[in-house]
Amino acid sequence: MESLEWYAIRATGVVAYLLLYLAALTGLYSAVQKKRKKKVNNLLHFHEVVSDWSLIMTAGHLGILLIDAYMKFSWSDILIPFSGSYETISMGLGSIGFYFLILTIVTSKFRKKMGYQRWQKLHALNPILYILVTAHGLMSGTDFQGTVLAVVNIVPVVLMLGMFPSDKKKLTEGKGAI
């Protein structure tokens, strides 16, 4: 029989990933709405809260890995990329993704102090975070198949990219509708 820790590791990982997915979608959607000059305050607040919870669940995921009785992970296995003997590549990608997530959350909390343009450049690195975490999940996770994740990730992005105005005329028409 599989241990409670194993289920908790999987559950926290999946929930953290789904929250990150939701944060990415709301972030993309708010960017589209900003381009259309629409108010996004509530959406941005939701985006930030979901991102924070993604970090909390990720920390839980890592914490449970440390106490798992079946697979013995050390702090260095988890925090030093590519240092462990179990699923070295996948775990390394997960570790780097964790650091990207921390960078995203911390810089977002201090965006006013660091300047919006600098923050925006750092925030533009988030696709790397998402790719790392997706690869980690595909390589070590057993809950989602690659085709399911591909569809779940590609369809919303394509739909949102379709929302961006393709020329200045459409953009100026959108301004007049406010």
Side-chain angles (χ1 to χ4, degrees):
M1 181 169 176
E2 296 161 344
S3 71
L4 177 63
E5 290 95 355
W6 187 74
Y7 285 112
I9 290 165
R10 289 173 58 200
T12 54
V14 168
V15 171
Y17 183 77
L18 292 174
L19 289 168
L20 184 64
Y21 175 77
L22 189 56
L25 285 180
T26 56
L28 288 170
Y29 184 73
S30 66
V32 170
Q33 295 301 76
K34 275 185 174 180
K35 294 261 187 224
R36 292 179 171 181
K37 305 293 184 198
K38 296 192 176 182
K39 291 184 180 182
V40 292
N41 292 342
N42 290 337
L43 185 61
L44 288 176
H45 177 72
F46 179 76
H47 169 72
E48 190 171 333
V49 169
V50 169
S51 300
D52 291 347
W53 274 103
S54 177
L55 179 60
I56 291 165
M57 292 305 293
T58 301
H61 179 67
L62 298 176
I64 298 167
L65 281 171
L66 288 170
I67 64 168
D68 184 25
Y70 182 73
M71 291 289 297
K72 298 288 184 185
F73 288 99
S74 67
W75 283 100
S76 62
D77 292 337
I78 291 172
L79 297 176
I80 301 172
F82 311 110
S83 66
S85 58
Y86 175 76
E87 304 255 351
T88 305
I89 301 297
S90 173
M91 295 292 287
L93 295 176
S95 297
I96 295 169
F98 177 59
Y99 292 128
F100 266 91
L101 182 57
I102 292 170
L103 176 71
T104 298
I105 301 292
V106 170
T107 57
S108 293
K109 301 292 182 202
F110 293 102
R111 68 181 162 261
K112 288 180 183 175
K113 289 185 180 184
M114 66 188 298
Y116 184 75
Q117 288 182 339
R118 182 178 293 154
W119 169 79
Q120 199 171 26
K121 287 177 184 177
L122 287 169
H123 213 67
L125 296 173
N126 282 342
I128 296 169
L129 158 64
Y130 196 78
I131 290 167
L132 288 169
V133 172
T134 301
H136 167 74
L138 284 172
M139 294 168 78
S140 26
T142 57
D143 296 303
F144 297 109
Q145 293 179 334
T147 52
V148 171
L149 275 180
V151 169
V152 164
N153 284 298
I154 291 171
V155 170
V157 171
V158 169
L159 290 174
M160 281 192 231
L161 288 174
M163 289 184 210
F164 280 105
S166 59
D167 61 0
K168 285 186 177 184
K169 183 179 177 185
K170 286 183 184 176
L171 187 60
T172 54
E173 287 173 6
K175 285 181 185 177
I178 296 176

